[in-house]
Amino acid sequence: MRQHLHRGAASTQHRRSDEALNASWEDLRAFLLCTRHQSFRNAADVLGLTGTTLMRKIDRLEEELGFRLFIRDQSGLSLSDEGRSLLFDVEQMERLSFNIFRRAAIATDAQGSVRVAVTEGPGNFWILPRLIDFQKTYRRIMVELSCAMEQADVSRLESDISIQFARPTNPDVIVSKLGRLHIYGFVSEAYQDAYGLPTSLADLKNHRIIKQHGVQLDETGYARILGLESLEGIVGISTNSSVAALYAVERGAGIGFLPTSAVALGAPLVPVDLGINYHMDLWLTYHKEFRNSERHKIVIDWLKQIFDPKAHACFRDEFIHPLDLVPLMAQARETAGFSSYVAPKPV
């Protein structure tokens, strides 16, 4: 009888241990999301919890571990030294969990190619660095990434998925807003040292502008937004390439109008504060026939995740000054790994 009681107690203890383990992983995942979003409120939205519930999870985790994970102040959350040490181990746990999802994808026969069309800037500078990690998890899905200013028509199956500036109206396609791309003026430090910065819109005539043109861009937008009748004599270089425009700006060729995330991701540029900013919404669209395709659903969900404005401040609807984005985009900058976007200076 005593032996049976002992076995029963051991079984109960084992069940409690399993429950504690499950609760611990939930709390650790909550900790991971808080570090990424740097906000209890934003992390709670992702987890589908209230801010109060999430804070209780973190309080419980801190009590179990015996140390503080976050320094909490009015500017948001920042990791304590102990929290920073723990982060590495939790990220390793998350990476191991990706193996489970990868096997699940294989088990459901999620394999084959998915064609994604996107404009050159977001494609090269945002999607591609993250695509490298995606393919490590989903090795049987091949993403064909097409980066061009021409808009792909998914209703004609020119691409499976398109990320574009114009919202489609075709009823055969599914559309969702990914986020907003904010455009701002930038120069290189060398340009600033040599020519200074314009002090007003009228002062622009004394500077050179790098202009990008393309099918999805408003050709008349530069002069209209800058309040100028004409750009004649101001434009030094006009190109259809986002990479070329960034290269020219970094090399001191003039003032370029680039996404505000450029500085936050590591480009060595100086914002030009002229009191204006421009934005373009990013729309994800795909044909209805792909909504039941496992591999397309995986890619679509992944794209929505990496463009999530709650996680990545540069895609929020509200404008945030480029310099204010820098601390908000620390993790994105680390993921991209850029100290500069373009090739070394020519010798």
Side-chain angles (χ1 to χ4, degrees):
M1 177 72 173
R2 187 177 302 166
Q3 189 175 15
H4 287 299
L5 287 173
H6 176 73
R7 286 177 181 172
S11 176
T12 301
Q13 185 176 7
H14 181 69
R15 284 198 303 272
R16 286 176 180 172
S17 252
D18 287 344
E19 289 171 2
L21 182 61
N22 291 335
S24 295
W25 170 241
E26 289 178 4
D27 293 346
L28 288 170
R29 182 169 178 263
F31 159 71
L32 195 59
L33 287 174
C34 287
T35 65
R36 290 174 177 169
H37 291 268
Q38 298 179 316
S39 161
F40 282 132
R41 185 183 64 183
N42 292 340
D45 288 342
V46 175
L47 289 166
L49 303 173
T50 65
T52 302
T53 301
L54 177 56
M55 284 189 282
R56 280 202 299 265
K57 278 182 174 291
I58 299 300
D59 289 341
R60 180 171 64 236
L61 182 59
E62 289 179 331
E63 184 177 349
E64 290 176 356
L65 295 173
F67 53 77
R68 297 295 297 271
L69 295 171
F70 294 105
I71 299 169
R72 314 177 192 190
D73 53 38
Q74 292 182 347
S75 62
L77 298 176
S78 58
L79 284 170
S80 65
D81 291 340
E82 294 85 355
R84 195 171 292 106
S85 298
L86 179 67
L87 178 60
F88 174 80
D89 293 330
V90 179
E91 287 177 334
Q92 288 292 99
M93 293 175 66
E94 184 187 47
R95 289 189 187 98
L96 291 173
S97 73
F98 287 159
N99 291 335
I100 299 172
F101 294 123
R102 182 183 68 196
R103 293 189 187 101
I106 293 173
T108 56
D109 200 31
Q111 59 181 315
S113 64
V114 177
R115 300 174 301 156
V116 178
V118 62
T119 54
E120 191 186 24
N124 284 320
F125 303 138
W126 191 261
I127 294 178
L128 186 58
R130 291 155 182 81
L131 184 57
I132 296 169
D133 285 334
F134 175 89
Q135 63 86 33
K136 290 177 183 176
T137 302
Y138 300 102
R139 299 189 68 84
R140 299 180 70 182
I141 297 177
M142 181 182 71
V143 176
E144 298 180 27
L145 185 64
S146 175
C147 301
M149 290 309 298
E150 290 77 17
Q151 182 173 300
D153 189 342
V154 295
S155 64
R156 296 181 180 179
L157 300 183
E158 293 175 358
S159 182
D160 300 345
I161 302 167
S162 176
I163 298 173
Q164 57 196 58
F165 294 136
R167 179 173 186 171
T169 56
N170 191 313
D172 291 329
V173 302
I174 297 174
V175 181
S176 61
K177 182 179 173 181
L178 283 181
R180 178 166 289 179
L181 207 63
H182 295 272
I183 309 300
Y184 209 72
F186 294 94
V187 297
S188 68
E189 293 177 357
Y191 183 94
Q192 181 186 34
D193 293 341
Y195 306 104
L197 299 178
T199 57
S200 66
L201 291 176
D203 193 26
L204 278 175
K205 65 180 182 296
N206 299 317
H207 292 265
R208 302 292 273 174
I209 288 177
I210 310 302
K211 179 184 176 184
Q212 184 182 353
H213 60 267
V215 176
Q216 296 194 61
L217 299 178
D218 183 356
E219 290 293 319
T220 64
Y222 282 84
R224 185 180 68 254
I225 294 167
L226 296 174
L228 302 173
E229 292 183 4
S230 171
L231 295 180
E232 186 175 352
I234 300 177
V235 176
I237 296 174
S238 180
T239 176
N240 68 337
S241 167
S242 299
V243 175
L246 179 56
Y247 190 103
V249 176
E250 280 198 344
R251 293 296 170 263
I255 302 171
F257 294 89
L258 307 169
T260 51
S261 58
V263 167
L265 292 179
L269 301 175
V270 179
V272 179
D273 298 323
L274 292 171
I276 58 168
N277 65 82
Y278 181 66
H279 69 259
M280 297 177 289
D281 289 336
L282 290 169
W283 300 95
L284 181 144
T285 178
Y286 56 96
H287 200 277
K288 287 180 178 179
E289 72 174 49
F290 293 128
R291 62 186 165 188
N292 295 320
S293 164
E294 188 66 22
R295 68 181 187 275
H296 287 85
K297 286 193 291 184
I298 289 171
V299 173
I300 289 165
D301 289 343
W302 171 71
L303 288 169
K304 289 179 178 179
Q305 177 187 354
I306 67 173
F307 280 93
D308 183 4
K310 293 179 181 177
H312 307 294
C314 61
F315 300 121
R316 294 176 188 171
D317 280 355
E318 66 270 22
F319 170 76
I320 301 174
H321 191 276
L323 297 182
D324 293 332
L325 272 178
V326 173
L328 299 177
M329 301 282 290
Q331 184 165 353
R333 183 166 60 254
E334 185 176 330
T335 301
F338 294 132
S339 58
S340 174
Y341 282 140
V342 296
K345 292 182 179 180
V347 295

